[in-house]
Amino acid sequence: MPVSKLEYNLIHRACVGDILTRAAWRFPERVAVKDGDVSLTFKELNERANRLGDALLNLGLAHQDRVGIMSLNSWEFLVSYFACAKAGFVAVPINLGLKGPEITYCLKDAQAKALIVDAMFAQMITPVLKELEDIEHIIWYGAEQPMSDGGNIFNRLLKEGDPAEVEQVVEDRDIVQLLYTSGTTSHPKGVLTSHVAVTITSLSSALTLKLDEKDTVLAVLPLFHCAQLNAITLPALLVGATTILQKSFDAKQVSVALERERVTMTALLPMMYAALQAESTAQKRDFSSMRLAIYAMAPMPRTRIKEIQDLFPNANILLGSGQTELTPPTTFQRPHHQWVKAASWGAATPSVQIGIMDDEGNLLPRGETGEIVYRSPQAMEGYLNLPGPTEETFKHGWLHSGDVGYIDEEGVVWFTDRKKDMIKTGGENVASIEVERRLMEHPAVQEAAVVGLPHPRWGEAVTGVVILKPDQSANEEELIAFCKETLAGFKVPKRIEVVTEFPRTGTGKIRKHRLREQLKDLYTQEIPNR
């Protein structure tokens, strides 16, 4: 009897669902996930994913149909994601930092056929359901059930579904996830990512982070973002490590979990590490189990890294970078560069090739500055419904990042700025990140953003916006004087605004275009001489 297409596919494919299948095969009784009071072994997590995948197929969903997921970090999120991967559907995790119209846009653009949603978001999603003509099935879970919907449909599907392995033909370049970019300048773009891209990323990350089954990983950043999902959680599950889920960031709860669970690795944003340092009880806890504290978004000054090192004496404090279009991480700092090249992005991860390109498509030698471009099996398949931007991103045979930087003699990538965030002032180019880094070296500054604002004399004026640390103070004159100590005169901010919060995306990125809009009239009344 000839081998069937399904049998052939099962033997050699790169399917993200098989990450969980194989981990359950190898480590059936090991704890995979802890979510509050719920603790699931790899066998239990895998069986729940199989049950849901089978139930979704029985509802009539077809190959590559898109399934929205609205959930905080939870075991239900992971079960939903793996159910989609196993059954050949496309998971569409929704950024919970978006507003109703933005969520509607993403689900309509995706043409989602089903939506799995925690009932705690009923008030957010119910008013817009009538606009989502493509959605055929709403699958609620959680304690707060909409009364008209008959209760916990998610749990009912888990009971009805078959726990045996879901076996469907899944091709390597089939889409496994559709993540929407942060939308810092316009509507979010839907990034189509294949099974092979996520599988390669998981393997590359596990190797880069030196993960194994003895690790315990604290998941604080949201799973609806590629950094936590693809760069950390899936690699941890792949090798049999235990993942501790946190619904959201709370400094005290995180410090308790780090000590109680003997966590070996976590990833936080710089502002989260600052809050953790400020949490008084954290200073008294035993964090000796921590071997790796990852941070994201942007390099931190050495002084800030030293403060985190004091909190985690046995850990390397390393930056990982990437973007949704290239399934991060694409670069990661090496431990021996932790102090000597702390301001860098680090070197390329094993499956990524990085080049620097000029505007004509020529690759530049090491040391020269241009656009950072990539080649890797981690690359997206393209943007959903956007052939023009996809073609622009893929021109010259490389994936264009929109980031500016250079590569040094050791192959370490140094990020200069986003192309759109470079400030042109008085004929000079100023990298906003350089000024931000200097501001964050001030002992009173917790976070900093630097933008260029319209100015009648300079064209654009370098302008700083800062959030101060709790119980710290600093005025504009003091901060400007601090910048003048090390920065060239044209790089020194003309003005510095102190604020209590930044406009942010759902993943914590500062929306610089919002800052520029809010402060656009700052210089209309005067032409400063400084």
Side-chain angles (χ1 to χ4, degrees):
M1 180 179 295
V3 175
S4 69
K5 181 179 179 180
L6 174 60
E7 290 171 327
Y8 188 76
N9 178 257
L10 291 170
I11 291 168
H12 74 171
R13 68 187 184 181
C15 173
V16 172
D18 293 341
I19 289 176
L20 185 56
T21 301
R22 291 168 183 150
W25 188 280
R26 292 156 56 216
F27 312 112
E29 303 308 320
R30 181 168 292 150
V31 174
V33 172
K34 290 185 179 181
D35 177 12
D37 296 332
V38 177
S39 182
L40 298 177
T41 65
F42 280 94
K43 179 181 178 181
E44 291 168 333
L45 184 65
N46 188 54
E47 286 186 350
R48 293 188 187 196
N50 286 325
R51 286 180 180 275
L52 183 60
D54 179 66
L56 292 174
L57 286 167
N58 290 335
L59 288 176
L61 293 183
H63 185 70
Q64 294 290 271
D65 275 350
R66 290 141 195 172
V67 179
I69 304 172
M70 288 186 65
S71 171
L72 297 173
N73 290 359
S74 64
W75 68 263
E76 290 94 344
F77 181 105
L78 291 174
V79 165
S80 301
Y81 181 85
F82 278 112
C84 290
K86 287 169 175 281
F89 309 138
V90 180
V92 189
I94 297 299
N95 184 331
L96 297 175
L98 300 178
K99 303 298 183 183
E102 296 171 307
I103 292 173
T104 303
Y105 170 83
C106 294
L107 290 170
K108 289 185 72 170
D109 185 61
Q111 296 180 298
K113 292 292 182 65
L115 178 62
I116 299 171
V117 54
D118 188 334
M120 70 183 294
F121 301 114
Q123 289 186 338
M124 180 189 300
I125 192 64
T126 301
V128 301
L129 287 178
K130 61 181 178 297
E131 301 178 46
L132 303 173
E133 304 92 350
D134 293 303
I135 290 184
E136 299 170 359
H137 306 281
I138 306 293
I139 301 165
W140 300 98
Y141 78 88
E144 303 172 27
Q145 296 302 323
M147 296 303 294
S148 61
D149 225 288
N152 196 318
I153 300 174
F154 187 92
N155 279 356
R156 192 186 76 208
L157 293 178
L158 288 185
K159 292 177 183 177
E160 294 173 353
D162 191 334
E165 284 299 328
V166 175
E167 295 186 344
Q168 297 285 309
V169 173
V170 177
E171 302 293 350
D172 296 358
R173 291 291 174 179
D174 281 348
I175 305 304
V176 66
Q177 67 190 38
L178 172 56
L179 299 181
Y180 280 82
T181 58
S182 301
T184 54
T185 58
S186 61
H187 275 312
K189 297 185 183 75
V191 176
L192 296 161
T193 306
S194 70
H195 281 265
V196 72
V198 174
T199 300
I200 292 293
T201 294
S202 299
L203 291 165
S204 178
S205 295
L207 178 62
T208 300
L209 304 177
K210 295 181 170 56
L211 280 165
D212 64 31
E213 66 269 21
K214 296 186 292 294
D215 276 306
T216 298
V217 179
L218 187 67
V220 180
L221 301 179
L223 285 168
F224 59 69
H225 186 254
C226 57
Q228 184 66 60
L229 177 63
N230 299 142
I232 299 172
T233 300
L234 293 187
L237 293 172
L238 181 145
V239 301
T242 297
T243 296
I244 312 298
L245 296 174
Q246 294 274 301
K247 302 291 187 191
S248 59
F249 176 77
D250 176 274
K252 185 172 184 178
Q253 290 178 2
V254 167
S255 67
V256 169
L258 288 170
E259 180 181 49
R260 183 186 62 219
E261 302 291 346
R262 303 302 294 161
V263 170
T264 60
M265 188 182 85
T266 194
L268 301 175
L269 304 181
M271 61 184 177
M272 294 176 178
Y273 281 114
L276 191 59
Q277 289 170 257
E279 167 57 43
S280 59
T281 62
Q283 308 299 328
K284 305 170 186 175
R285 296 190 179 276
D286 177 10
F287 297 145
S288 59
S289 60
M290 279 283 292
R291 67 172 183 83
L292 181 56
I294 302 169
Y295 63 100
M297 297 301 179
M300 289 190 293
R302 287 168 55 98
T303 53
R304 191 70 52 84
I305 295 173
K306 179 62 170 64
E307 292 170 355
I308 300 172
Q309 182 80 79
D310 292 341
L311 199 61
F312 303 122
N314 297 328
N316 288 311
I317 320 298
L318 302 176
L319 171 70
S321 299
Q323 60 188 112
T324 308
E325 290 86 344
L326 209 77
T327 327
T330 52
T331 58
F332 200 80
Q333 288 178 343
R334 305 301 190 257
H336 59 281
H337 289 148
Q338 181 173 347
W339 300 109
V340 295
K341 296 188 176 183
S344 75
W345 267 7
T349 52
S351 57
V352 176
Q353 180 183 2
I354 303 178
I356 303 297
M357 186 173 284
D358 65 18
D359 291 340
E360 285 72 47
N362 302 304
L363 290 175
L364 302 175
R366 289 190 173 183
E368 291 196 22
T369 297
E371 184 179 10
I372 302 172
V373 294
Y374 301 97
R375 282 178 173 171
S376 172
Q378 297 174 202
M380 68 174 181
E381 296 300 297
Y383 294 117
L384 178 66
N385 302 326
L386 294 171
T390 298
E391 185 173 342
E392 183 69 13
T393 301
F394 288 162
K395 66 183 179 181
H396 307 307
W398 292 76
L399 188 147
H400 291 252
S401 67
D403 295 324
V404 177
Y406 65 94
I407 301 174
D408 70 14
E409 71 287 348
E410 289 188 281
V412 172
V413 178
W414 295 79
F415 170 71
T416 304
D417 214 340
R418 290 287 293 170
K419 271 189 170 183
K420 64 178 181 291
D421 290 335
M422 288 291 290
I423 301 168
K424 298 184 183 299
T425 179
E428 300 281 0
N429 289 336
V430 176
S432 62
I433 192 170
E434 179 184 2
V435 186
E436 290 165 357
R437 193 177 296 128
R438 176 56 181 168
L439 283 168
M440 287 181 63
E441 289 173 350
H442 191 282
V445 174
Q446 179 166 303
E447 274 194 281
V450 171
V451 296
L453 297 179
H455 192 283
R457 177 176 177 182
W458 302 108
E460 286 187 311
V462 179
T463 307
V465 188
V466 302
I467 296 175
L468 300 180
K469 294 178 181 177
D471 303 320
Q472 296 286 325
S473 62
N475 59 37
E476 182 181 38
E477 289 73 21
E478 178 185 347
L479 293 172
I480 289 175
F482 183 75
C483 290
K484 286 181 177 179
E485 292 176 9
T486 60
L487 296 178
F490 66 89
K491 297 179 182 179
V492 173
K494 300 291 188 291
R495 296 279 299 273
I496 297 177
E497 299 287 301
V498 177
V499 299
T500 57
E501 62 181 7
F502 288 129
R504 299 182 186 275
T505 68
T507 52
K509 293 180 182 177
I510 299 170
R511 293 182 184 266
K512 285 192 173 181
H513 75 290
R514 291 271 181 89
L515 283 179
R516 285 189 281 263
E517 178 64 25
Q518 291 170 4
L519 300 173
K520 64 182 181 181
D521 298 325
L522 192 63
Y523 297 99
T524 57
Q525 302 302 317
E526 58 179 319
I527 303 178
N529 292 320
R530 37 182 196 186

